[in-house]
Amino acid sequence: MLRESLDFPTSGPRGSRALLAGSGLLLLGALLAGGALYAEENVSREVGVGLGALALLPSVAVRGYYYRALKAAATTRYPTAPSFAGVGSLLRQGLASTIVAAVYALPAGVLFGLSASTNLIPASVTPDVATLGESLGAVVALFGIAALLAALYLTPAAMATVAREESFVAGFRLRSVAAGAVTEDYAVGWVLATALQWVLAPIAVGFSTLLVGVPLYFLTAVAARYVWGASFGAAAGIDPGSVPRVDVTPPSTRREIGIETRFGDGDRTEPRDPDGSCERR
């Protein structure tokens, strides 16, 4: 699966253009964020806030593309890289992805906030009370770490559930999400995707000043979404195939589960090979 994940971001007739577009959006977002900080310090706060708000748009668009990549891997046996077509639907998908991630991370944020609040215990209290407060804060922080790990593990499964069921609400149906998340296929895929990001993302950040790291970072992020989606799809019953290396995937080697999009991906394809009888390339 590792080789397929690295092939996926540039696969199909739209992969190379999507890689360039995604890298450009990441770079644009970074430039706008830097400009916002500069403007707030040297121009005016209003200009800085305006540039900061603009910097969010490229980030949301990229997250929308990440969703499309995950959806392609989770619902298709022979997926190819999607495109950035349909700006409106892309932004909606990115916003939905951001909301799902924020909701799953909320318990961890609350627990970390409660843990930090124990440091506000007045110095006038007795040492025993202060020690008890610090101990409770440490315990709550441990629960916060556990909640954060759970959020990191469940969020890709939730987005894959949204993609498969074509419903934003499906991402919060814990029974549906857990049905795929507790499987061995998804667990192994999540570990592989996490390791892939831990290995390649620091390298990409290190070379970002040379601009070479920006495409590498985008490629790594898309590859991770492929692994998450394919692993969840395998857990849900899709026999994982391979990523075609040619520009156009032959119709005889594609198979989709036949779900009509509600988010408006801009890359709709007809179902192929409904009985799964095609041969792998």
Side-chain angles (χ1 to χ4, degrees):
M1 184 179 288
L2 181 60
R3 189 191 71 180
E4 287 81 1
S5 69
L6 296 177
D7 287 339
F8 175 75
T10 56
S11 63
R14 302 172 294 268
S16 298
R17 291 193 295 270
L19 178 62
L20 293 175
S23 302
L25 286 173
L26 287 177
L27 183 60
L28 177 62
L31 291 176
L32 288 174
L37 293 175
Y38 176 84
E40 186 172 359
E41 294 180 0
N42 299 279
V43 183
S44 68
R45 184 177 181 84
E46 291 75 14
V47 175
V49 171
L51 288 175
L54 286 177
L56 294 176
L57 291 179
S59 176
V60 173
V62 170
R63 288 192 66 87
Y65 184 82
Y66 291 161
Y67 165 80
R68 290 183 178 181
L70 188 147
K71 178 182 179 180
T75 60
T76 311
R77 186 179 180 187
Y78 295 96
T80 55
S83 73
F84 278 88
V87 176
S89 63
L90 189 71
L91 292 176
R92 288 194 298 271
Q93 291 159 358
L95 182 60
S97 176
T98 301
I99 293 174
V100 170
V103 170
Y104 275 86
L106 183 61
V110 172
L111 290 171
F112 283 132
L114 291 175
S115 176
S117 67
T118 59
N119 295 324
L120 303 178
I121 296 177
S124 58
V125 301
T126 61
D128 291 339
V129 174
T131 301
L132 178 61
E134 292 176 357
S135 299
L136 289 175
V139 172
V140 173
L142 290 176
F143 280 106
I145 293 173
L148 179 60
L149 291 175
L152 293 174
Y153 185 80
L154 291 175
T155 299
M159 290 310 304
T161 304
V162 171
R164 287 185 58 81
E165 299 189 15
E166 293 291 334
S167 170
F168 172 71
V169 179
F172 305 105
R173 295 176 186 148
L174 295 183
R175 180 175 297 180
S176 299
V177 174
V182 298
T183 61
E184 181 181 357
D185 287 319
Y186 179 77
V188 173
W190 185 86
V191 171
L192 178 60
T194 302
L196 183 68
Q197 292 187 104
W198 276 95
V199 171
L200 293 183
I203 298 175
V205 172
F207 283 96
S208 59
T209 55
L210 303 177
L211 300 183
V212 179
V214 179
L216 179 58
Y217 181 87
F218 181 76
L219 186 147
T220 302
V222 175
R225 267 68 181 184
Y226 169 85
V227 176
W228 285 331
S231 300
F232 194 91
I238 291 183
D239 183 23
S242 60
V243 176
R245 289 170 172 252
V246 295
D247 278 346
V248 180
T249 309
S252 61
T253 61
R254 301 196 62 178
R255 173 175 177 248
E256 293 216 12
I257 61 175
I259 299 178
E260 183 176 342
T261 181
R262 293 181 189 174
F263 278 141
D265 289 354
D267 293 309
R268 183 175 300 168
T269 55
E270 286 85 13
R272 304 285 185 180
D273 187 26
D275 60 353
S277 61
C278 66
E279 294 182 357
R280 294 187 185 178
R281 293 191 48 146

